[in-house]
Structure formats: structure tokens, C-alpha cells
Amino acid sequence: MMFGYNVKDDYSAKGDGTTDDTTSIQNAINAAHIDGGGTVFFPTGTYLITAVLTIYSNTTLQGSAQGATSIVQNGVPAHIYGKDVSFVTIKDITFKGPGMNAPWGGGITFDRENSGNTEGIDFENVTLDGIVGNAITINCPITSSFTNVKVVGVVGDGFSFTNSGTSVVMNNCYAITCTQAGYNFAQLNYSTINSCAVEVCGIGFYLNNNCNNIALIGCGAEDQIHRNDDYPGIDYKINGGVGNSMISCYSRNNYEHGIGISLNGGNPTIIGYRQIGECPTSIVGDKNLHVELINSSCNSTMELKSGTVGQSGTTANRPSTNLYVGYQYYDTDLNKTIWYDGSAWKDASNTNIE
């Protein structure tokens, strides 16, 4: 058997979209588990499930192609559930839920009870569509990767990583039309989000509850909308944490009360941020913030407290555009911090600096 456990050839799944294939698929997963792990292969087809599939460690679910293999359900709590799992791979499969108007129909959940973390999760070329509940929920992921994963039409979060986690890499992922956040990371640490996109969510990228050393690189957020007071139409929201950065990220937000970036405490670095659209505020921050803001281009007003913004460089490289009252700059030639008061640079003694 080329792929170890073929749900059609070996376990009699039909893949015709109408026959209940739950038992056949679960039997294949169970057989791989009994043998210590393996690859469960789904040939081209549409596989209907009527109960949650339980997955175990050291298991790969392999489809024939992202658009050719589908697992569909119509109102069960999740497509796939795993507890205390590690080294699970899902590739080349589309998961279809009942749609956003259904009462229930969850996606993929990996939870913990006795394990310290959820290690070695690998999703590649995976789509989740029409999910009620978070599309992907992983409790404390570590050393895990997500490549070309798309979530669309979700009542909840698109990607939800909870209770810490480390060393997560996301490449070319996409969240569209989620009623909460496209990406919601709680206490995640030293991880990279690379060239990912989000549209039409309540919050695009949400670094929640003191994430640390998260790098958002070349990400884009467009057309977030007001979902409710907790998810009010923000492209990027960072709550606390140390060492977080946004590098060459983009916003287009036209919501009449929308925000490009919302910052609450912490010391993020923002480099090369570009914001367009008609939302009233490009960047807003509270008094507990200290942000490094470098080479950004914003169409809308910034609302940052005096003394909370910092950038460093030589006198010759002192910025002359996108300035506002309270902008802070550490002049390495002068060896001191200066502030812009709306018309001139001043030092801590309120002396004009040339």
C-alpha cells in the first residue's frame, strides 16, 4: 500500500458525498494508531462524516489534492478532535462545514489534558470552509507549521492558538470572513507569521494576552468590519508583550470607525507599515506603550500618547514626514532623546534642537 491506510481501497469508504464514511475513516485512523502511526490516504472524493473523527499522535491525513479531496459534515461539533496529540500532519484536504447560518459545525481542535504542549503539527494545502466555531484551535502549539492554509466563512476565529506556544511558523495563510479574529494568538512566543492575509473579520491579526517575540512579516489586512464591541473592525491588535514586530505589513480599512493598528502596552517595533483607506485612525496606542515606528506611510491620523513612540538614528536621518506632536526620536549623534512638538524638535529641558 503506497500510503499505508487507504480509506477507499482498504476500509470501504465511498467518497461519494452521500454515503456516511465516518466508520470507514475512523477505522483507518485507528489502524494507523494501533500500528504506532502512519499515513491515512484519502483518494479523490467527497467524504461525508456524521460524527467527530478522533485523531492520534504520529498520524498523517493525506488527500490527493486540496480541491480534490473533501471531508464534509453538517452539524457535528468538529471535523477532527485530538487530545494530547503530537506529530500530526494534514495535507491536501478541504474540510467543509454546514455554513455560517447553521447552529453548529466545528473545524479542527487539538486540546491538552496531560501533555505540556501540542508538538509537531503540520498543515499544508488545507482549506476549512463554512465552519461554526473556530476553524482551527490548537492548545499550546510548539515547533509547528502552517503553509497555504485557508479558512473562509467562520463563526468564530480562523486560527486560534491558546495557552502559550513557541516556534510556530505560518506561511501564505489566508483568513476571510470570520466573525471574531482571523488570527488569534494568546501568549504565543517566538514565532513567525510570513506573507499571510486576512479580510472581512472583526480583528485581523490579534496578538492577545502578552505574546512575545512574534514577527509579522509582509502580511496584509483588508476590509475588517465591526462584528461586535470585542471585534470592532481592527486590522492588527497587539495587547502587551515584549519584542513583537511588524515588518512591511499593509492595511486597507474603510470601516467608518475602523483602526489600522491598535496597541495596548508592550514595546512593539513597526517598520515599513503602509495604511490606506478611509478609516479615521491608522495607529492608536495607550499610555503604557513604547513603540518603535520606522518608515511608515499612513493615510489616516495617528493617535499616540506623547513619549510613547521611539525611533533612533543620526541627526541626518531624523524623520521629516509622518510626524505628529509627541513623536520621540533618539538622536545617536546627540546621544539623547528628543521630541517633536508640532513645529520643532525639543529635548527633555524643552530646548529647541536643530
Side-chain angles (χ1 to χ4, degrees):
M1 292 181 295
M2 180 179 178
F3 286 101
Y5 308 86
N6 187 313
V7 298
K8 279 189 175 181
D9 294 348
D10 303 323
Y11 295 93
S12 302
K14 299 300 182 184
D16 58 13
T18 57
T19 302
D20 184 357
D21 287 325
T22 308
T23 299
S24 296
I25 296 170
Q26 190 63 63
N27 285 343
I29 294 172
N30 291 347
H33 174 57
I34 291 169
D35 292 342
T39 297
V40 177
F41 179 59
F42 295 77
T44 298
T46 299
Y47 299 86
L48 174 66
I49 60 171
T50 57
V52 178
L53 298 172
T54 300
I55 199 167
Y56 306 96
S57 296
N58 307 311
T59 302
T60 295
L61 304 184
Q62 175 70 59
S64 59
Q66 190 170 11
T69 297
S70 297
I71 299 176
V72 302
Q73 57 111 319
N74 192 25
V76 298
H79 283 83
I80 296 174
Y81 178 82
K83 181 188 292 184
D84 295 329
V85 297
S86 59
F87 305 108
V88 172
T89 297
I90 301 177
K91 289 187 176 183
D92 301 317
I93 299 176
T94 294
F95 297 88
K96 293 185 178 180
M100 296 180 72
N101 293 323
W104 192 244
I108 299 172
T109 297
F110 295 158
D111 207 351
R112 292 185 300 145
E113 183 175 5
N114 299 309
S115 296
N117 50 59
T118 304
E119 181 180 2
I121 305 304
D122 180 15
F123 284 23
E124 185 175 349
N125 302 329
V126 173
T127 297
L128 292 96
D129 186 357
I131 305 299
V132 183
N134 297 339
I136 298 172
T137 302
I138 301 180
N139 191 326
C140 194
I142 70 167
T143 56
S144 296
S145 65
F146 302 82
T147 301
N148 191 28
V149 180
K150 179 179 179 180
V151 298
V152 56
V154 178
V155 181
D157 295 328
F159 300 86
S160 178
F161 300 159
T162 65
N163 297 309
S164 191
T166 64
S167 305
V168 174
V169 177
M170 303 186 75
N171 291 305
N172 308 317
C173 295
Y174 186 23
I176 181 170
T177 315
C178 303
T179 62
Q180 296 183 172
Y183 305 78
N184 192 343
F185 307 139
Q187 298 178 314
L188 188 65
N189 297 281
Y190 47 95
S191 296
T192 302
I193 317 304
N194 184 55
S195 296
C196 293
V198 62
E199 294 183 38
V200 199
C201 300
I203 296 175
F205 296 88
Y206 192 5
L207 273 57
N208 190 8
N209 197 14
N210 295 309
C211 294
N212 298 300
N213 304 105
I214 307 302
L216 301 177
I217 303 173
C219 294
E222 298 186 353
D223 302 326
Q224 291 2 285
I225 62 175
H226 185 280
R227 296 291 189 177
N228 54 51
D229 290 345
D230 293 325
Y231 298 91
I234 299 172
D235 291 330
Y236 303 86
K237 185 171 183 178
I238 302 176
N239 280 354
V242 175
N244 297 309
S245 60
M246 293 175 54
I247 302 171
S248 298
C249 291
Y250 166 85
S251 284
R252 186 188 70 197
N253 191 323
N254 291 307
Y255 174 56
E256 61 180 345
H257 301 297
I259 297 172
I261 303 174
S262 174
L263 304 171
N264 299 287
N267 66 339
T269 299
I270 300 172
I271 303 173
Y273 171 61
R274 179 175 177 235
Q275 179 265 330
I276 65 173
E278 302 302 322
C279 70
T281 310
S282 59
I283 305 176
V284 60
D286 68 7
K287 66 180 181 180
N288 298 313
L289 170 73
H290 183 81
V291 56
E292 295 281 339
L293 186 61
I294 302 170
N295 295 332
S296 295
S297 174
C298 297
N299 186 62
S300 302
T301 315
M302 296 185 190
E303 295 182 6
L304 294 164
K305 306 296 183 184
S306 179
T308 63
V309 182
Q311 180 180 342
S312 62
T314 65
T315 299
N317 289 328
R318 194 182 298 168
S320 59
T321 59
N322 290 319
L323 295 174
Y324 45 86
V325 174
Y327 190 98
Q328 179 176 310
Y329 183 79
Y330 184 83
D331 193 307
T332 55
D333 291 331
L334 301 177
N335 197 30
K336 65 180 178 180
T337 299
I338 58 178
W339 290 266
Y340 187 70
D341 71 353
S343 60
W345 292 98
K346 294 183 179 292
D347 64 13
S349 63
N350 205 35
T351 301
N352 282 1
I353 303 297
E354 297 300 327

